[in-house]
Amino acid sequence: MNNHLIMKDIDEYYQVMNSELGIFEQIGSTCCYQIHPRWGKGLAERIILGNGVEINIWNMELVQDLKLVWQLEERCFEIMHCVEGHACYGGCECKNEKQIKTGEYGCWTNDGKQNWVHFSAELPWKSISICYAEGFIKSFLEMAPSLTDRQEVKSVLDYYNKGNDSCYLVSPDTELVFSEIMNCSQKGIARLLYIKSKVLEIFSLFIQNELLLRKHKNYKIFLSREDRLKLEQAKRIIVDNMLDPLSVAELALQIDLNVYKLKVGFKEMWGTTIFGYLRDMRMEKARFLLSGTHKNVAEVAQEVGYSNPSHFSTAFRKKYGINPHEYANHYRSL
């Protein structure tokens, strides 16, 4: 299904999804919507926090693919975290198809151009999307303590205002804040205040991480022989603690190296992040267990540090292009 939507703002977006397309059904007078049974099941919640900031939390399972082509006239900056699932997206004016998967977050500016998004019925979709309107951006820049700070933040946002976007594996600190939003048990105004503080924290972490990335791209860190031995030690510790991974700070403390040198040095030596390496080692061990033992997928997932078998299956399929159950059946039939 392909639906072309041209909307003034997010208010109108939900109205169209509710009344014209019948994908969502509004629950009473709240900003909460349930997925129409014809499309599947699940909920979409919209939380308006004021000062040009709102958050949209989707948790749905589709029974048919959904493709939307939309154009939002109101300009805003968006950060989306894919908690679970997989979606393809892109701009209608360019031919490049982009993807966002479990554990990743994307950021872009909605600038009045036509875009499209495709949700597959094969996987559940759970996401948190935060929209920061121009009013919020302006007030955020005004809070900058110095002209240099203001220029640095503005340079980050200008990059996205030019039509660029980015998709990253979400950093542990940012993932924790997203998780705190998803699992917030408070009610009423207390919940709104709590979530608002977390949404501001995510924007702050985004700016901080973007500036750090830019610094790394332009800077080659010096690693002494002792540093390299410590980073080798870090690799062994990561493998030994696969079921209960250390935080970056704990790992840095254990090998007696500062956090900055650990993160940047690790990436320089092996071309991947600490968490990327952990994920790869988990997948390698899983592949060995699936092909060389008679453990089922749930048991293998548990043994390599995944409490949720579906998250494990998604990560395995992303790494090797095959479902772990199919992989096991193939090698055990030989």
Side-chain angles (χ1 to χ4, degrees), residues 258-274:
N258 67 60
V259 170
Y260 177 81
K261 185 167 279 192
L262 168 60
K263 292 170 71 173
V264 180
F266 197 97
K267 181 73 179 288
E268 243 182 59
M269 282 185 68
W270 293 291
T272 185
T273 64
I274 293 167

Side-chain angles (χ1 to χ4, degrees), residues 12-30:
E12 194 172 335
Y13 173 85
Y14 276 100
Q15 289 171 15
V16 171
M17 295 282 279
N18 178 41
S19 60
E20 294 185 27
L21 299 182
I23 297 169
F24 293 159
E25 293 179 313
Q26 190 169 8
I27 301 174
S29 59
T30 68

Side-chain angles (χ1 to χ4, degrees), residues 205-222:
L205 285 170
F206 160 74
I207 295 295
Q208 174 185 303
N209 290 336
E210 283 283 315
L211 292 174
L212 195 60
L213 280 171
R214 291 181 178 208
K215 181 179 179 182
H216 290 175
K217 286 177 181 177
N218 298 317
Y219 179 69
K220 195 78 172 176
I221 192 170
F222 172 77

Side-chain angles (χ1 to χ4, degrees), residues 179-209:
S179 178
E180 288 170 338
I181 293 174
M182 290 291 288
N183 299 317
C184 176
S185 60
Q186 300 183 51
K187 306 292 182 184
I189 189 66
R191 179 174 182 247
L192 289 178
L193 289 171
Y194 180 81
I195 290 177
K196 187 168 186 176
S197 71
K198 295 299 173 183
V199 164
L200 293 172
E201 186 176 353
I202 285 172
F203 190 80
S204 176
L205 285 170
F206 160 74
I207 295 295
Q208 174 185 303
N209 290 336

Side-chain angles (χ1 to χ4, degrees), residues 163-180:
N164 298 299
D165 63 15
S166 295
C167 189
Y168 305 111
L169 185 67
V170 65
S171 61
D173 50 2
T174 307
E175 186 173 27
L176 175 62
V177 184
F178 278 120
S179 178
E180 288 170 338

Side-chain angles (χ1 to χ4, degrees), residues 108-119:
W108 47 78
T109 295
N110 293 309
D111 55 1
K113 295 179 181 177
Q114 280 200 344
N115 298 280
W116 62 269
V117 62
H118 182 195
F119 299 103

Side-chain angles (χ1 to χ4, degrees), residues 145-160:
S146 70
L147 178 61
T148 301
D149 290 324
R150 191 176 303 119
Q151 288 173 337
E152 284 187 333
V153 174
K154 193 172 183 304
S155 70
V156 170
L157 296 172
D158 284 346
Y159 172 80
Y160 293 97

Side-chain angles (χ1 to χ4, degrees), residues 28 49 60 105 202 223 229 246 248 264 269 283-284 310:
L49 299 169
M60 63 184 186
Y105 78 99
I202 285 172
L223 295 172
L229 289 173
L246 279 67
V248 175
V264 180
M269 282 185 68
M283 292 300 102
E284 282 295 317
S310 69

